Amino acid sequence: MATNYDYDRGFTDYVHNNLALKIIYERLGWKEQKPHSHLRENADQNDAVDYFFVDKNTLSLVTVQERFRESKFASYNDITIRYKREFNVHEERKDSEFFKLNADYMVYGIINSSKYQYNQADNFLKYVIVDAKILNELIRDGKIIVEENSNSRYCKWENGVIHCPVNNNPDRSSSFIPIDVGMLYRLNDKAIKLNNGYNI
């Protein structure tokens, strides 16, 4: 019997292989590379890197973290980054992607179907590519502040700073941080490499 992890893996693999490669990466001129499985596993666990590409325009290596959501999230103007897995039995795995995001870019997209009918998806309703290096700089410089005890579920803009809450997933499996794409663009327009459908 398939586990939730198996189903989620099937969802992300389908969207990557059938939508993202053609719709997003071909547009950028990025060609996927297939490193050894040990390298991929290590990069995933330690640096939140899902995929490796070569930019055919510059011949440089590009690392990517992907996150895809189903159509019911299309009204949101944010990306979400996993924050913590509070109930993970392995102490070293409680801090999630937010604490180890060393990919070059984060690719975030909303598909045009339900997650439970993902094999019917044939396009993105919207997608955005965020420069993760700039995002990390903004966090380090205090331009994006994470507020674990915020009373809001959404980002707030105050005096040139984005204040982001920590929200819990309904199943309590993990928490996440929403980052409003328009606010991020307002902080630094170079943080958005490519945008299709988000309000900026």
Side-chain angles (χ1 to χ4, degrees), residues 124-141:
F124 291 101
L125 296 174
K126 57 185 183 180
Y127 60 85
V128 64
I129 300 180
V130 172
D131 187 314
K133 303 296 187 187
I134 293 177
L135 177 64
N136 281 328
E137 286 177 8
L138 293 170
I139 293 168
R140 284 196 301 269
D141 292 345

Side-chain angles (χ1 to χ4, degrees), residues 103-114:
D104 295 315
Y105 295 98
M106 183 172 185
V107 175
Y108 196 93
I110 310 294
I111 63 171
N112 65 346
S113 79
S114 160

Side-chain angles (χ1 to χ4, degrees), residues 135 137-145 147 155-164 179-180 182-189:
L135 177 64
E137 286 177 8
L138 293 170
I139 293 168
R140 284 196 301 269
D141 292 345
K143 295 296 186 180
I144 298 175
I145 296 176
E147 298 183 342
C155 296
K156 294 179 179 178
W157 177 276
E158 294 181 2
N159 301 318
V161 175
I162 304 175
H163 296 261
C164 299
I179 299 179
D180 185 277
M183 293 182 188
L184 180 58
Y185 183 82
R186 187 176 170 187
L187 270 185
N188 187 331
D189 58 4

Side-chain angles (χ1 to χ4, degrees), residues 165-180:
V166 176
N167 297 331
N168 288 307
N169 283 306
D171 63 1
R172 308 290 291 179
S173 61
S174 62
S175 56
F176 65 90
I177 296 168
I179 299 179
D180 185 277

Side-chain angles (χ1 to χ4, degrees), residues 6-7 17 26 38 49 53 78 98 102 108 122 135 161 171 182 187 200:
D6 292 333
Y7 193 88
N17 292 321
E26 278 191 15
H38 291 304
V49 169
F53 293 86
D78 54 37
F98 176 84
N102 289 320
Y108 196 93
D122 60 4
L135 177 64
V161 175
D171 63 1
L187 270 185
I200 61 174

